[in-house]
Structure formats: structure tokens, C-alpha cells
Amino acid sequence: MDARREAVIWIGGEAGEGIASAGDIFMKTAARCGLGAFAHNSYQSVIRGGEVVLQIRVGAHPVLSQGGKWDFLLALNQNVLNHYLPAARPSAAALFNADSVKPPETSAAASLHGIPVGELTRDLSNSPVMQNTILLAALMRLLGIPWDIFVGSIRNQFGKRKPQLADLNVAVARRGWDHAEKKLSLPGPIALEGDGKRRMVITGNQAIGLGAVAGGCKFYSAYPMTPASSIMHWLAPRAARYGMLMKQAEDELAAINMAVGAGYAGVRAMVGTSGGGFALMTEAIGLAGMIEAPVVAVLSQRAGPSTGLATKTEQGDLFQALGASQGEYPKAVLAALDPVDAYYAVIEAHNLAEKYQMPVIVMSDLYLSERNVVVDPENFNARVPIERGETVREAAEGEYLRYRDTVSGVSPRALPGTPGGMHIAASDEHNEMGVLISDWYTNPTMRTRMVEKRMRKMNGVRRDTAEGAFLCEGPEDADLTIVGWGSTYHVLEEARRALTDSGHSAQLIQFRTLWPFPAAGALPILQAAKRCVCVENNQSGQLARLVRQETGFSIPFAVRKYDGEPFSAGPLVQALEICLRPKAPAVQTLISAELDLPVTYE
């Protein structure tokens, strides 16, 4: 039997049972071993008690997604073991606390290993939370992870401020490690040998925060809303060090208006929120469009409408971003592909916002915001271009026209305090000086000039974003062309490679710039495709509609998922193979039914 070079690990239990800590320690250990790893957390929107399953995929190579069914299950309660056993892959193994979890009476799909946590730790701790550490240590021993690297990750997790807690966890881990060494064995060989290069672990939201810092953002305001909140959590303790003001506002309206004001004053400013918060912010997005103030808004999508599934992912807000606020005004909408791309997308957004004096929306979602991945630190280049656009340093009194009608549509801006740069900035339509035209007089000609001036900016935005507007992977003459956008990039690329390995050539087009839509570049590729399918995490096929609207090309097949969970490569490959059949259905819907976990309310 060939040794497996990767493994999928599920850690399941109730919120508060230490699943996040165990996952963080695992990811840090993998990164320090030179392994690739990807973690996605499926959890409920309650503070404590909801069911959680953390899906980690680790391998002796770069890992692109969380994978599918599990090879190893750390079951922290009976419900998890009972329910998730059918999702085991061949040669799988489940570890659990034998004191509180009993193996099923019927035959199981995996080998079952109960560990006597109480007996092993009786002299150390009576805390039931410690079961996560002892089960994790047993798993690490089975996977062949070096003890010293594992211990280093435990100490790093608890930090210098909690040395006693770190010491206790190390002692508990040792008991689990020794027990596995003496009592447990793998059902099949596994070879997880990293390249020894120490890497970093980062989430999408951490990368967004890092991109804001590198891109010169000096003001960030937000009201907490999952899954965008962790941008604020990451920035808050670091803002002062980087010369940034981080402000938690009283609501989303205040947050966006603060950021628009900061942008108007010449400070690079950004807000972050989810779909519900963005809906509240949109009037101020339009204000930024009218007064031509630069501002960046991160829209991290979750399943809606309303509160919807507050802690689940979806790509359901594309048309909300495209239609944000009333009226017509220039804006750009970018969709980050992964944490590394999120870093550069935020920097690009700030440059576009200031160069063209307009709002820029960076789209993410829970799947990208909260994924935890191992990456090379060299991928984050700190020396990035900063383009602040045209500004006026000094003007003769009475000559400055804030909204001068220029060929590019961009009017050099005078920041508050610029000598001779006094002007009016208000939400009403205005003339070149900023004097309002709606209250004092009617002037259809001036209104037309101002609309056209502002919209001419889109020509420059289109030129600046064209080169990186979408990625193309695979041969142009492929049997199947897969179309996607944003955070699904890696799982679609994994599916494309799997199709290729099975004898079906496949091409991937992944859109990163959604507005202005790169129709001129994309249409020839779409028209040349033999067979085309659009894959989206929504019900209505929003990207497919946008492609049809902007190019006239109708993508004939669709694979959609709107159950709150992200795509995984296995079921996606099966759906894509169906698209290659002569009488393939136009739309296929995928559901992660293996994650259904019935709960009885008492």
C-alpha cells in the first residue's frame, strides 16, 4: 500500500470545547514543519454550545482547499462521533475521550480509538477542555510530527503571558503522545514530510488588515459583523504601531461616514462589514461618489438575506455591490481570490480610490475571510506602489475648481487646508466650483457635464484593471471551461487539475475584477470555449448574469451551492464531469449533507 501524502482531519464538538485552539496549534505545527495546510471552520452563530466542525487538510505539498471526507476525526462528544462516522474515508481513524464517548455497537466505517483522558491526566488537570490537547497530541504522534515542533506551537499558542497554562498543556500533550506511541497504530501508512522551510499561517482577514497597513491606510472604522469583524480584531492591537486610527463606531452608518470624511480630508480610509452592514452603508458610498472622496469598503459576504446564516459563507452580494447606492457614479468592485491576493487587492483598491477619487469595494466572503492557510512569507511584498492621484498644493484665490471638467474625468483635489483650495463639497449636484445647482437654479447642461465628467473616470479604471482582471489556467482548447469568481479560485483550480488527471482537459477563468467588467478581454475566450460552466456559491447565478449582461454570452451550464458551506473538490469534480455528458442538466445544485447535524431542543 502506497503511503498517503496528505490527510483530512476533522475536529468536532461544541463551541467552547477548545476546537479553535487545537486547530491553531495544528496549523502552526504544520507551517513550522514545512507542510501545506488549509483549515475551514463550520460553526454556528452562538457564543457557546453550537456544533462546530473544523476541517483541516494537511499535505507534503501546497494544499488548495479543506478537502472532503475525513481520514482522522477528533470527536469531542458523542454526537460528533455518532454523526460523522459515515463521512470517513477508507483507512480512517477516530480518536475520542473514552471517559465520555462510547463507540457505536454496530460496525464502524473507521478504526476507533478511545483514549482514557481522565486516567492519563488525573494528577495534572480535571478540566474536560484538556481532552482537545491530549487527542491532538495522539494524532500528532500518529502523523509522525516531531515532538519539539509540536511543543513549540503549544507554547506559541498560549504566549508568554500564560506560561503556567502552556506548561500544563505540554504536560497533558505528553501523556497523549506517549499513549499513542504505546497503544495506537495507523490503519494505513502515511508520509507527511515537509520540506523543512518554516512558513506562516494567515487568514484572509488578517491578509486584508496586512494589506491595509502596507497600502498606507491610516483610518479604519467598522461596526462588528461576522465575518468581517476579525479585520478589526487584527488591526486594533497593531494600529498605533503602524500610525493608524482604528475606530469601532456605534453602527455601520457612522463607520462609513467617518471613513468618507477621512478620505475627503486626505487620509487613506477603509471600512469592513458584511452584507447587512453594507446595505446600511450604501447611501454614504453614493455620497463618496458625488463628492469624489476616496474610500475603500471591504464586503465580506455571508449567507442572507437579513441575518440569514450569520456564520456561513455565500457569494450572494455581487449585485448589491454593483448597485450600491442610488444613481450612477464611478466605482470599482474587486473580488479577492485568496489571502495573498486579498493583500494586494486591498492595496490596489486604495490606489484606485485615490487616483480616481471614488469608492472601491473589495469583495470577500466567510470562506476567504476565515480560512486559515499556510503560505510563504515571501508572497507578501512590503514594497508596494502607492498612488495618491492628482492633488493641488496651492492655488490662486478664486481660481481653484474642485470639480474641473477634465479629459480624464479626474479633477485635481485640494485637501482641506490647501492655500487657495477652498471649495464646497456636498451631496447635491454641483458645478465645477462645487456650488450646488439643485436648490438655487436649474441647469440641465451642467448636470450632464458633471455626470459625464465623473463617469469618464471609468475609462482609466478599465485600463488600470484590465491586466489582472481575471486569471486563465489550462489550455485554450480544453474540453470544459470553468468560470468562477473570487474566493472559489483554489477549489476550482483543484477541480480543474483533477479533471485533467482523469483525462478531461479543462480550463479555468476566475474573475477578480467585477466592475468595470472586463468584457473585451473575456469574451473571445468564452466564445472559443468548447463547453462552458459557471460555478458559484449562490442560487441565482449572479456572475453568469453579469457575464451575459456585459458580453451577451450565455454560459450554458451552472454548478451552484447555497447551503452555507463552501465547495469541496470531490463533489465538484463529479458535477463537472456530468457537464461533459451529452444531455447534461443546465443547473446542478450541490449540498454538503454530510455536515447536517440534528439537534434536539429540550
Side-chain angles (χ1 to χ4, degrees), residues 287-601:
L287 169 66
M290 177 57 88
I291 68 173
E292 304 188 40
V295 67
V296 174
V298 177
L299 168 50
S300 183
Q301 303 160 95
R302 68 189 200 189
S306 192
T307 306
L309 295 175
T311 57
K312 300 295 178 182
T313 197
E314 198 163 270
Q315 292 180 310
D317 295 342
L318 173 54
F319 275 79
Q320 181 181 200
L322 296 174
S325 195
Q326 67 273 34
E328 299 173 305
Y329 61 95
K331 62 175 173 288
V333 180
L334 311 178
L337 306 178
D338 57 28
V340 173
D341 186 58
Y343 171 83
Y344 292 105
V346 167
I347 296 166
E348 180 182 359
H350 279 290
N351 286 339
L352 289 172
E354 285 211 305
K355 186 175 179 180
Y356 295 101
Q357 303 170 29
M358 65 178 192
V360 179
I361 302 162
V362 178
M363 300 198 71
S364 175
D365 51 36
L366 184 139
Y367 184 49
L368 172 55
S369 289
E370 298 190 354
R371 74 173 61 165
N372 219 358
V373 294
V374 172
V375 298
D376 284 315
E378 296 85 359
N379 289 337
F380 297 96
N381 180 10
R383 296 181 180 276
V384 295
I386 304 295
E387 299 182 63
R388 302 219 57 185
E390 295 184 61
T391 56
V392 173
R393 294 184 178 274
E394 189 172 357
E397 189 170 348
E399 292 186 355
Y400 176 63
L401 298 177
R402 169 64 186 97
Y403 303 108
R404 184 192 303 163
D405 189 359
T406 64
V407 174
S408 67
V410 178
S411 310
R413 62 175 176 152
L415 305 181
T418 300
M422 184 179 294
H423 61 274
I424 298 170
S427 60
D428 287 41
E429 188 58 277
H430 44 254
N431 63 15
E432 290 178 277
M433 296 176 65
V435 174
L436 313 188
I437 66 170
S438 59
D439 294 341
W440 289 82
Y441 57 94
T442 59
N443 194 332
T445 302
M446 182 56 66
R447 160 67 178 178
T448 303
R449 280 183 64 190
M450 288 292 101
V451 171
E452 292 176 349
K453 182 203 88 73
R454 289 191 292 267
M455 296 305 287
R456 275 201 299 277
K457 296 179 185 180
M458 294 304 290
N459 297 329
V461 178
R462 192 171 284 106
R463 285 195 300 271
D464 286 1
T465 58
E467 183 176 349
F470 59 89
L471 299 182
C472 270
E473 308 281 358
E476 296 179 359
D477 60 346
D479 298 329
L480 184 66
T481 295
I482 308 163
V483 180
W485 64 284
S487 68
T488 58
Y489 168 55
H490 281 295
V491 71
L492 266 60
E493 172 60 11
E494 184 175 2
R496 184 194 71 80
R497 295 180 188 181
L499 278 177
T500 302
D501 291 344
S502 65
H504 304 293
S505 62
Q507 179 187 31
L508 172 63
I509 303 174
Q510 192 77 8
F511 285 94
R512 179 178 182 274
T513 300
L514 296 168
W515 198 259
F517 190 77
L523 182 57
I525 302 173
L526 293 169
Q527 289 176 326
K530 292 180 179 176
R531 184 166 282 218
C532 198
V533 56
C534 192
V535 181
E536 301 184 67
N537 254 139
N538 59 51
Q539 188 274 336
S540 60
Q542 296 187 21
L543 175 63
R545 290 162 58 194
L546 180 62
V547 169
R548 184 168 62 248
Q549 169 188 304
E550 295 300 311
T551 68
F553 181 85
S554 293
I555 301 175
F557 299 101
V559 178
R560 298 172 188 162
K561 198 169 193 290
Y562 39 93
D563 59 354
E565 298 295 335
F567 287 102
S568 57
L572 180 57
V573 170
Q574 294 175 11
L576 295 175
E577 287 176 337
I578 291 174
C579 290
L580 289 164
R581 297 174 184 171
K583 294 184 179 180
V587 179
Q588 297 180 68
T589 301
L590 301 185
I591 301 174
S592 296
E594 69 276 11
L595 293 176
D596 289 344
L597 191 59
V599 175
T600 301
Y601 294 96

Side-chain angles (χ1 to χ4, degrees), residues 25-38:
I25 293 170
F26 188 97
M27 293 298 290
K28 289 174 183 175
T29 304
R32 294 175 179 202
C33 290
L35 294 165
F38 186 115

Side-chain angles (χ1 to χ4, degrees), residues 56-212:
I56 301 174
R57 184 178 176 197
V58 61
H61 49 74
V63 175
L64 299 183
S65 73
Q66 74 279 10
K69 296 184 176 183
W70 54 269
D71 298 291
F72 297 94
L73 172 67
L74 304 188
L76 301 184
N77 63 44
Q78 189 73 56
N79 202 22
V80 166
L81 182 66
N82 292 346
H83 185 75
Y84 292 138
L85 273 178
R89 297 168 71 179
S91 302
L95 308 182
F96 54 89
N97 182 354
D99 301 336
S100 58
V101 178
K102 304 302 178 188
E105 296 179 355
T106 57
S107 61
S111 60
L112 304 177
H113 304 281
I115 296 178
V117 173
E119 177 186 336
L120 294 175
T121 62
R122 186 172 297 125
D123 60 323
L124 295 175
S125 170
N126 290 321
S127 173
V129 176
M130 287 297 178
Q131 67 173 329
N132 65 344
T133 300
I134 203 165
L135 296 182
L136 180 64
L139 173 66
M140 290 296 199
R141 179 64 189 86
L142 291 174
L143 294 178
I145 300 296
W147 167 255
D148 58 335
I149 296 178
F150 177 45
V151 169
S153 300
I154 293 176
R155 296 197 180 281
N156 179 269
Q157 175 70 17
F158 295 102
K160 296 180 180 178
R161 289 181 296 177
K162 299 179 180 178
Q164 293 181 331
L165 186 57
D167 290 343
L168 178 59
N169 273 274
V170 170
V172 169
R174 188 77 233 185
R175 304 295 171 86
W177 184 279
D178 290 344
H179 178 82
E181 193 168 62
K182 297 173 184 175
K183 304 285 187 180
L184 306 184
S185 61
L186 284 175
I190 188 166
L192 288 181
E193 294 182 7
D195 60 11
K197 179 180 178 181
R198 185 171 172 138
R199 294 183 169 84
M200 63 187 291
V201 180
I202 195 168
T203 69
N205 276 355
Q206 289 171 345
I208 287 171
L210 193 62

